Amino acid sequence: MDISYGGVGYEYDKFLAFWRGEYRKRDFLLKNINKIKDIRAAYRAVGRIFEDLCAEGNSSKTEKEDFIDCYCMQVLALRTGRPVEVEEKFIMPIIRVGNIVHRHDAIKYGVDEICDAVLSYNLLPSFLLRELNSYKILKDCSDGCEKWDVPPTLCIESSGTFVPDSSVKVNLNFYDDFGEIEKEILEEYRKKMSSEKGYFETLIRGSTASYHIELKAYIYDNSFDIDSAIEKFHEQLVWAVYDVKKQRSMPLTERERSLVDASFQKLVVGSAGPTHAVGRAVGLWLWDYLQENPSSTRTPAYIALNKLGLNIPYRFEKDNPSIRKTLDRIFNSTKKCIETNQVLPIKGGTGK
């Protein structure tokens, strides 16, 4: 795997961004299950208003999606007082659509909900509200032709300007102070270092020449496992250094490259080995199926997975406890990825 900087072409970035986007989208849909109908209605309404305003009376699906993304960025810019950078052709339509939206409370409410989601998940509405496609993802992975398309995100340039972007790292709390930038970048890692027995908090501050690492440990009882804690800190520190250096376009040392590669294999690939991408796709499909077809057990989902007829190494057999345990682990791992919004290893405890 190539260990070099290359924007969204960086293999780790593309892989992590793709799966993180899929997990975050499902977390958004689950947490907004009672509001999603109104949110989608508002999204479609803004699209229809834009179509009505088009000179020819029609627009392509892509153009409409791009416009809604830009319109939501404009709403966020007005909220936060930040400038926004959008295509010139959308400037007047944004103003005209905004005038119409503000006269309809239901649409305005839905747009506000969409913008809240953009800020929470760092994903633009064209991706957040796109129909789920776990079958296609699973089929592509099983056929060996998977593509790690990076979802559209909201990016803030150093000037503080909102811009549509497909880069992986999004920092919505941008400060000129270098230490503050790093503090925000590491927020997700501080969350990941939680455990029942204690947790660690890391802050990296410094300049382009040196770093100060501050480690705070909170121990709750004598059963705290220091070896496990050291392992967690090691993993998160490696990724934190990777993120900070990439943010500032600083090259990785050979030692850092080897550590990033080892951590990627451990944190993302896990025990699934070469089939980890197929395992993730299977977990995603199972989660979607059970959301649409609730059941007291997962057996119907496992049987439905067989009926897809895809070339995957997970064929369910009722009398085979091993394959049931494997599918349970995959589902539970996926569930945890969605709940934490993180790309975690495909491994874990057995399900019920």
Side-chain angles (χ1 to χ4, degrees):
M1 193 170 288
D2 181 29
I3 310 292
S4 60
Y5 291 113
V8 297
Y10 192 81
E11 191 68 20
Y12 297 143
D13 289 347
K14 289 198 297 182
F15 182 92
L16 294 172
F18 175 86
W19 289 106
R20 188 183 294 119
E22 294 298 328
Y23 296 142
R24 287 183 176 180
K25 179 194 291 191
R26 284 158 178 79
D27 185 59
F28 159 71
L29 294 174
L30 188 61
K31 288 180 177 176
N32 291 276
I33 192 168
N34 295 323
K35 298 186 289 185
I36 195 63
K37 185 177 180 180
D38 293 336
I39 291 174
R40 288 191 185 280
Y43 183 85
R44 290 192 297 270
V46 172
R48 285 195 299 270
I49 295 170
F50 171 68
E51 286 181 319
D52 292 341
L53 294 175
C54 286
E56 291 83 15
N58 57 48
S59 62
S60 68
K61 180 181 178 182
T62 299
E63 185 178 31
K64 185 164 63 175
E65 288 181 345
D66 289 346
F67 169 78
I68 299 174
D69 285 347
C70 290
Y71 176 73
C72 288
M73 285 195 299
Q74 177 64 52
V75 173
L76 287 172
L78 291 173
R79 268 196 201 177
T80 61
R82 294 183 184 276
V84 62
E85 181 179 302
V86 299
E87 292 185 58
E88 185 175 352
K89 66 179 180 179
F90 288 150
I91 294 177
M92 284 308 298
I94 283 175
I95 295 173
R96 296 171 67 187
V97 168
N99 290 334
I100 296 173
V101 168
H102 278 277
R103 296 199 296 268
H104 296 80
D105 291 341
I107 301 177
K108 184 177 182 300
Y109 166 79
V111 169
D112 286 341
E113 291 292 325
I114 292 171
C115 291
D116 287 343
V118 171
L119 284 175
S120 296
Y121 294 95
N122 298 341
L123 294 167
L124 293 181
S126 61
F127 177 80
L128 271 177
L129 293 169
R130 193 176 300 161
E131 293 298 322
L132 300 179
N133 61 345
S134 54
Y135 173 78
K136 183 179 185 304
I137 294 172
L138 177 55
K139 188 176 187 309
D140 288 346
C141 287
S142 66
D143 292 342
C145 57
E146 62 271 13
K147 294 181 180 179
W148 309 130
D149 294 328
V150 178
T153 58
L154 182 68
C155 180
I156 296 184
E157 294 184 332
S158 58
S159 62
T161 301
F162 281 141
V163 293
D165 186 51
S166 293
S167 63
V168 176
K169 179 52 62 181
V170 177
N171 178 20
L172 286 172
N173 298 286
F174 204 105
Y175 302 93
D176 290 332
D177 180 76
F178 181 46
E180 289 299 321
I181 295 173
E182 291 171 312
K183 182 177 178 181
E184 295 299 329
I185 290 174
L186 292 174
E187 180 63 30
E188 63 183 278
Y189 297 106
R190 292 204 296 275
K191 292 178 181 178
K192 284 175 64 176
M193 284 185 282
S194 300
S195 73
E196 294 180 359
K197 304 300 180 183
Y199 68 92
F200 284 87
E201 179 182 9
T202 62
L203 302 177
I204 294 186
R205 303 188 182 93
S207 66
T208 57
S210 62
Y211 294 92
H212 169 69
I213 300 175
E214 178 181 335
L215 172 64
K216 297 179 181 179
Y218 300 82
I219 311 301
Y220 299 140
D221 57 50
N222 289 331
S223 61
F224 180 74
D225 183 357
I226 190 170
D227 290 325
S228 175
I230 290 173
E231 182 179 4
K232 284 185 178 181
F233 177 66
H234 173 269
E235 292 168 352
Q236 303 309 325
L237 178 60
V238 168
W239 284 105
V241 170
Y242 163 73
D243 273 336
V244 172
K245 282 203 162 187
K246 184 163 69 71
Q247 181 82 5
R248 297 186 61 81
S249 300
M250 297 168 64
L252 293 172
T253 66
E254 288 300 320
R255 174 61 173 160
E256 288 166 349
R257 292 185 184 197
S258 65
L259 288 173
V260 168
D261 185 61
S263 291
F264 180 86
Q265 296 298 322
K266 184 175 182 180
L267 290 173
V268 178
V269 176
S271 59
T275 62
H276 72 100
V278 175
R280 288 189 188 282
V282 166
L284 213 60
W285 187 90
L286 290 173
W287 193 90
D288 288 352
Y289 182 91
L290 288 169
Q291 289 299 308
E292 295 181 9
N293 306 276
S295 173
S296 58
T297 71
R298 298 175 194 142
T299 300
Y302 297 162
I303 293 174
L305 180 66
N306 285 353
K307 292 180 179 179
L308 295 179
L310 299 178
N311 181 28
I312 56 177
Y314 307 108
R315 183 160 187 83
F316 178 69
E317 298 172 1
K318 288 186 177 180
D319 299 327
N320 186 341
S322 177
I323 186 61
R324 180 185 290 274
K325 186 178 294 186
T326 296
L327 289 170
D328 281 344
R329 282 201 302 269
I330 289 174
F331 178 83
N332 285 332
S333 295
T334 301
K335 184 171 179 285
K336 189 173 182 181
C337 287
I338 292 170
E339 291 171 346
T340 62
N341 287 201
Q342 298 296 335
V343 184
L344 304 174
I346 296 298
K347 61 181 180 179
T350 58
K352 295 182 180 180

